[in-house]
Amino acid sequence: GAGVSQSPSNKVTEKGKDVELRCDPISGHTALYWYRQSLGQGLEFLIYFQGNSAPDKSGLPSDRFSAERTGGSVSTLTIQRTQQEDSAVYLCASKSTDTQYFGPGTRLTVL
Amino acid sequence: QKEVEQNSGPLSVPEGAIASLNCTYSDRGSQSFFWYRQYSGKSPELIMFIYSNGDKEDGRFTAQLNKASQYVSLLIRDSQPSDSATYLCAVIGGSYIPTFGRGTSLIVHP
């Protein structure tokens, strides 16, 4: 595709439910990042995938958060037992050399 | 802990003026520096990157890097109302994980 795509664009869920967020990176980009951005806040790094290497999970805030990347392409971020403080925009970015290209994000609202 | 600091603003400049946005970082090993623009409700988009000390110009934008003083700045010449956005500074050190500042809100008024 022409750019990074994410789905869904908006997700409203109830506290305690699990959610899955999807990211389709730019074809050929081997690096993929997930970030979280809360209202008025900067970008909070969550997880980084590079090729077939083990992902850097150092930014995941708790063990309720996990992510996988299948076939070196599509990535899914899963949040289990969602909490209200998980409400944020979740951004995915894929990278070519040093340049990151961001997707449009998924706005998650936990009621 | 690696930190990237930006003045949250808002920075208000008149149309046609030069807007100066500043960013300081704590990690002396930082190697790559980026400026992103983020419109309200949208995702960040890359404006410029700079790796070496000095100035780098691209159209109306100039990035300035001073590694000794650990700051990077972005100058926007002939500012337009369409430049009104939040500008994010990002820094990459030894890892491939960028650290982002919280951003500076720029308002260009007619």
Side-chain angles (χ1 to χ4, degrees):
Chain A
V4 179
S5 61
Q6 292 185 245
S7 61
S9 56
N10 280 283
K11 177 71 176 179
V12 180
T13 191
E14 294 179 347
K15 177 182 174 180
K17 300 286 189 182
D18 298 351
V19 296
E20 283 190 353
L21 312 179
R22 176 186 169 105
C23 172
D24 282 89
I26 294 172
S27 177
H29 284 192
T30 58
L32 186 149
Y33 300 77
W34 281 98
Y35 297 92
R36 178 168 71 175
Q37 189 172 37
S38 302
L39 188 63
Q41 301 296 309
L43 288 167
E44 176 188 3
F45 164 74
L46 297 177
I47 189 168
Y48 165 62
F49 294 90
Q50 173 58 60
N52 295 320
S53 303
D56 183 331
K57 305 178 182 180
S58 60
L60 295 179
S62 77
D63 59 8
R64 296 186 294 106
F65 288 72
S66 63
E68 62 177 20
R69 189 178 185 192
T70 54
S73 180
V74 171
S75 178
T76 302
L77 177 69
T78 300
I79 309 173
Q80 296 178 311
R81 305 181 302 283
T82 52
Q83 303 295 311
Q84 288 183 330
E85 60 263 29
D86 299 334
S87 296
V89 175
Y90 289 81
L91 290 162
C92 172
S94 68
K95 190 175 79 166
S96 168
T97 57
D98 270 341
T99 304
Q100 289 189 76
Y101 298 88
F102 284 85
T106 293
R107 181 175 298 279
L108 174 66
T109 303
V110 182
L111 302 176
Chain B
Q1 181 166 341
K2 300 175 184 178
E3 294 183 347
V4 176
E5 299 288 341
Q6 295 181 256
N7 187 320
S8 62
L11 172 66
S12 182
V13 300
E15 184 175 356
I18 296 175
S20 178
L21 304 162
N22 300 311
C23 170
T24 60
Y25 58 94
S26 63
D27 181 9
R28 281 199 170 274
S30 299
Q31 300 167 358
S32 306
F33 306 85
F34 304 83
W35 282 101
Y36 288 85
R37 176 175 62 198
Q38 186 173 25
Y39 292 112
S40 180
K42 301 295 185 181
S43 56
E45 55 180 331
L46 181 69
I47 298 175
M48 292 190 70
F49 57 86
I50 186 168
Y51 303 143
S52 305
N53 276 327
D55 295 0
K56 179 180 178 182
E57 186 174 318
D58 184 359
R60 295 187 296 113
F61 299 96
T62 299
Q64 299 175 319
L65 175 61
N66 184 323
K67 290 186 178 180
S69 299
Q70 294 175 246
Y71 83 78
V72 56
S73 62
L74 179 70
L75 301 179
I76 306 174
R77 290 182 298 281
D78 187 25
S79 296
Q80 302 296 310
S82 59
D83 294 326
S84 299
T86 296
Y87 289 80
L88 302 173
C89 172
V91 174
I92 296 180
S95 73
Y96 293 97
I97 311 301
T99 301
F100 283 82
R102 291 192 172 191
T104 298
S105 174
L106 173 67
I107 298 172
V108 181
H109 53 87

